[in-house]
Amino acid sequence: MMQLKFYPYDLRFDEVFAVSANARTGTEIIYVELTSDGQVGYGEASFPPYMKEKRSANLDFLAGLNLESFNSIDAFEEIRIYINTFSNCLPAKAALDMALLDLKGKISNSPVRSFFTNETAKPIPTSFTIGIGDDAFLMRQLKKAEAFPFIKIKLNGDVNYVKHAITLIKSTTQKPLGVDFNQGIANSILALELLDWLHGQGVQYAEQPLPEILIADFAWLKENSLLPIFGDESIQTIEDIESKHHLFDGVNIKLMKCGGLTDAYQMVKLARHYNLQLMLGCMAESVCAITAAANLANLFDKVDLDGHLMMTNDLFTGVTLENGHLLLSTAPGMGVEKKLSAL
Ligand code: MG
């Protein structure tokens, strides 16, 4: 018999994290546990403000599920079909998908990544993300970023801030830089001016420069920009790749947006079909969801899995960090364990 347990939890950050639209000191999550055949599978749902998914609605969705009618993990496909008969609640569906795969891996004695790739696990180079802030903040973050091979810088539509922050960061590090506007630029004319300047500075890509509703502006910007543009807020699910792939050079795929590893894997295949570059991203989330995503890392061109590094009260252990690279355990399942203090 399949038993589902879930509980809300509040993660706290070590510093205020600011992007173009908001600043936060923590994030709401839900942890999920699925028990069957004496094994426990873990999962996590995270609720970033822009997704409009509310934790309360996702808790209600989980409370309404009846998984006890499924006898074992052999019903993996049937369980997924049952879960997807309900609409929305993609973070909770992502958590359930993680827990199902974790359980399937533990029961079949296989690491979860082996369900998606034949390649052996290798260290995963990840970028370190720096939020918006004053000079002292940027310098503190650059210090934290020292071991990482790539840096992603959060920017807004303020020309002065963009030029000041990039000039300061480039005076301190020669690492490859990417930028993320989180929809922060008001129109395509200003966006092109900023992207051209960033291209001249050697920046490698820009993520989501414009609000997702500006479809025609995105099309014009892609035609005219020399800098590769990645869609993040614009591309949440596989349907968005189908309808918007022509607007972007790449896509940032995240488990919380699409409903889990199984859906992310389908997105990878379709994005490759459209020759999109692939970035594996994350929300502010704990090492549980980060480790889940790391199981797909081999399939991506760029990995940005650093959301867990700012958490001060994580309940899990999972991927470890060595020289800016994430290391997955070789244990069966996803590779996460609940901390003893949390049991
Ligand atoms: Mg982004």
Side-chain angles (χ1 to χ4, degrees):
M1 194 172 78
M2 194 75 66
Q3 276 182 311
L4 172 64
K5 199 175 114 183
F6 56 91
Y7 49 98
Y9 189 71
D10 293 332
L11 287 168
R12 291 189 300 273
F13 305 163
D14 57 357
E15 284 213 60
V16 175
F17 185 69
V19 300
S20 63
N22 62 74
R24 296 188 286 155
T25 55
T27 201
E28 294 184 343
I29 62 167
I30 301 171
Y31 283 122
V32 160
E33 298 181 13
L34 266 180
T35 305
S36 182
D37 293 296
Q39 299 280 0
V40 186
Y42 295 106
E44 174 182 353
S46 152
F47 299 90
Y50 80 86
M51 269 187 67
K52 302 169 190 87
E53 289 266 11
K54 294 284 164 281
R55 179 164 69 176
S56 55
N58 280 256
L59 286 166
D60 290 346
F61 159 68
L62 291 167
L65 291 176
N66 177 10
L67 298 183
E68 298 192 358
S69 56
F70 297 101
N71 283 327
S72 77
I73 197 64
D74 292 343
F76 182 83
E77 287 303 329
E78 289 83 354
I79 296 170
R80 277 190 52 84
I81 290 167
Y82 165 66
I83 289 168
N84 285 317
T85 56
F86 300 90
S87 58
N88 302 320
C89 297
L90 290 162
K93 287 174 184 170
L96 288 166
D97 185 61
M98 288 175 210
L100 283 165
L101 288 166
D102 193 26
L103 199 52
K104 184 176 163 182
K106 283 171 176 163
I107 290 170
S108 66
N109 206 24
S110 326
V112 164
R113 66 186 161 70
S114 70
F115 303 143
F116 302 102
T117 168
N118 293 323
E119 281 182 54
T120 50
K122 44 183 191 277
I124 304 162
T126 180
S127 50
F128 183 87
T129 303
I130 297 183
I132 292 173
D134 61 16
D135 289 5
F137 171 81
L138 294 176
M139 296 312 285
R140 277 202 305 282
Q141 295 295 310
L142 281 168
K143 188 98 191 123
K144 285 188 199 169
E146 253 169 16
F148 292 80
F150 316 106
I151 297 175
K152 185 197 276 193
I153 304 151
K154 297 286 193 183
L155 295 175
N156 53 28
D158 176 349
V159 180
N160 291 330
Y161 181 76
V162 169
K163 294 191 174 177
H164 177 76
I166 296 296
T167 305
L168 179 73
I169 289 165
K170 278 188 43 127
S171 72
T172 310
T173 179
Q174 297 184 338
K175 281 179 190 159
L177 304 179
V179 301
D180 186 357
F181 287 96
N182 292 106
Q183 318 189 76
I185 310 178
N187 63 70
S188 52
I189 305 288
L190 177 58
L192 185 61
E193 183 190 324
L194 285 171
L195 266 51
D196 278 349
W197 184 82
L198 290 163
H199 182 258
Q201 296 295 308
V203 167
Q204 295 195 326
Y205 65 88
E207 212 174 297
Q208 197 71 35
L210 298 164
E212 58 161 320
I213 51 163
L214 301 183
I215 303 282
D217 296 74
F218 265 116
W220 181 85
L221 191 60
K222 180 173 184 287
E223 277 302 298
N224 290 282
S225 170
L226 295 169
L227 197 61
I229 301 170
F230 278 71
D232 181 357
E233 288 87 341
S234 287
I235 298 189
Q236 309 213 10
T237 62
I238 195 160
E239 289 80 15
D240 296 327
I241 293 188
E242 199 58 78
S243 61
K244 299 182 205 165
H245 62 89
H246 58 291
L247 305 178
F248 299 99
D249 301 288
V251 52
N252 185 342
I253 293 176
K254 300 179 180 175
L255 301 184
M256 296 306 153
K257 293 192 295 188
C258 70
L261 288 90
T262 309
D263 294 278
Y265 182 63
Q266 298 304 326
M267 288 180 80
V268 164
K269 288 196 284 189
L270 189 63
R272 286 284 182 222
H273 168 76
Y274 286 121
N275 288 318
L276 290 167
Q277 291 182 58
L278 288 176
M279 183 189 303
L280 177 59
C282 64
M283 306 296 184
E285 54 201 31
S286 80
V287 78
C288 178
I290 293 290
T291 303
N295 280 275
L296 295 177
N298 280 355
L299 307 171
F300 286 78
D301 305 309
K302 298 180 194 301
V303 174
D304 182 32
L305 293 179
D306 63 345
H308 62 307
L309 299 174
M310 59 181 173
M311 302 307 168
T312 59
N313 59 340
D314 206 316
L315 293 187
F316 283 81
T317 58
V319 279
T320 53
L321 185 66
E322 206 170 281
N323 256 326
H325 290 64
L326 301 176
L327 305 178
L328 272 169
S329 93
T330 52
M334 222 153 60
V336 303
E337 277 183 65
K338 205 165 168 181
K339 285 181 183 170
L340 281 177
S341 55
L343 290 172

